[in-house]
Amino acid sequence: DTEVTQTPKHLVMGMTNKKSLKCEQHMGHRAMYWYKQKAKKPPELMFVYSYEKLSINESVPSRFSPECPNSSLLNLHLHALQPEDSALYLCASSSAGIDIQYFGAGTRLSVL
Amino acid sequence: SQQGEEDPQALSIQEGENATMNCSYKTSINNLQWYRQNSGRGLVHLILIRSNEREKHSGRLRVTLDTSKKSSSLLITASRAADTASYFCATAYTGGFKTIFGAGTRLFVKA
């Protein structure tokens, strides 16, 4: 099973809402990633977890809060987002930090 | 700045023709990867080439790597309409967890 599952597929939220994005993989991968992608742009790395510990935070605003409850799950908690945060949020996993990454289908987020 | 830059930004070809995309990067790498993304979907890994390799094939894909020029190319032979997608190179450097994506090439294959 080489699948990374992201939920929800679409999310619309107001600037005062709190929501969470979820990501799950069962490949035994120990590295998991969150990316943000705007239209016609490449994915931009937000966070990297390695062995369930946050190893990279690419200076992401605190309104984005990642969490890795166990080796299979990755969450991204959202609070007080801005309209410019509207984007496709992609989760990925890999067996090692610089190995092939397997991506989920993404969550299309719209902030109103 | 991004590790990998790609050209062309967009490419439109007829079905059956070959498509070539180029990627340049700035620092020493451990490996270089190519990914495909269909519109609004997740990325799919195509091929990985390590820094000590010069060429790699996978089906209709051929990737070359020139570490002296810090560049790579992806060739898709006998293209099909289903190859229409965005293609990204991604570079990974030794000792890090980061894979940095290039700007991407949008390929359109006309049937």
Side-chain angles (χ1 to χ4, degrees):
Chain A
D1 181 7
T2 57
E3 190 171 296
V4 175
T5 304
Q6 287 188 246
T7 56
K9 292 192 187 324
H10 301 275
L11 180 62
V12 179
M13 60 186 291
M15 290 189 284
T16 59
N17 292 158
K18 287 185 181 180
K19 297 287 184 182
S20 297
L21 309 185
K22 297 185 184 301
C23 175
E24 188 169 7
Q25 58 89 11
H26 295 288
M27 294 176 276
H29 290 168
R30 304 317 296 262
M32 296 187 75
Y33 312 78
W34 280 115
Y35 289 89
K36 173 184 177 180
Q37 186 179 27
K38 301 285 259 184
K40 298 185 179 180
K41 296 291 186 182
E44 293 179 22
L45 184 66
M46 299 175 72
F47 303 103
V48 180
Y49 273 83
S50 176
Y51 290 87
E52 301 163 45
K53 293 193 186 316
L54 183 64
S55 61
I56 294 178
N57 176 343
E58 290 289 276
S59 302
V60 178
S62 60
R63 57 185 184 267
F64 296 91
S65 175
E67 178 196 21
C68 190
N70 60 55
S71 60
S72 299
L73 293 174
L74 187 65
N75 298 323
L76 186 63
H77 303 298
L78 314 173
H79 174 54
L81 294 193
Q82 304 296 310
E84 59 264 29
D85 296 322
S86 297
L88 180 67
Y89 287 84
L90 295 163
C91 172
S93 70
S94 67
S95 59
I98 53 175
D99 206 344
I100 297 168
Q101 292 183 37
Y102 294 84
F103 282 81
T107 294
R108 176 75 57 190
L109 174 67
S110 296
V111 181
L112 304 179
Chain B
S1 62
Q2 290 176 345
Q3 177 79 310
E5 299 297 333
E6 295 178 62
D7 75 271
Q9 291 185 349
L11 181 60
S12 182
I13 59 175
Q14 292 289 139
E15 210 167 28
E17 294 180 340
N18 295 341
T20 299
M21 289 158 258
N22 302 297
C23 171
S24 62
Y25 57 92
K26 296 179 181 176
T27 60
S28 296
I29 59 171
N30 178 284
N31 66 61
L32 187 145
Q33 303 171 37
W34 287 90
Y35 290 82
R36 184 187 75 216
Q37 184 178 34
N38 291 88
S39 181
R41 304 286 296 172
L43 282 75
V44 175
H45 181 265
L46 296 176
I47 199 163
L48 180 151
I49 186 165
R50 301 195 187 281
S51 59
N52 61 352
E53 297 175 311
R54 292 297 168 259
E55 188 171 313
K56 212 161 180 182
H57 296 255
S58 177
R60 294 184 295 112
L61 306 180
R62 172 178 169 253
V63 168
T64 61
L65 179 65
D66 187 335
T67 52
S68 66
K69 295 181 180 178
K70 292 186 171 57
S71 66
S72 173
S73 67
L74 170 67
L75 169 67
I76 303 174
T77 59
S79 62
R80 306 166 181 167
D83 294 328
T84 294
S86 291
Y87 292 82
F88 295 95
C89 68
T91 48
Y93 59 89
T94 304
F97 286 95
K98 292 171 68 166
T99 300
I100 307 298
F101 286 84
T105 294
R106 293 194 306 280
L107 174 65
F108 182 63
V109 182
K110 293 176 280 188

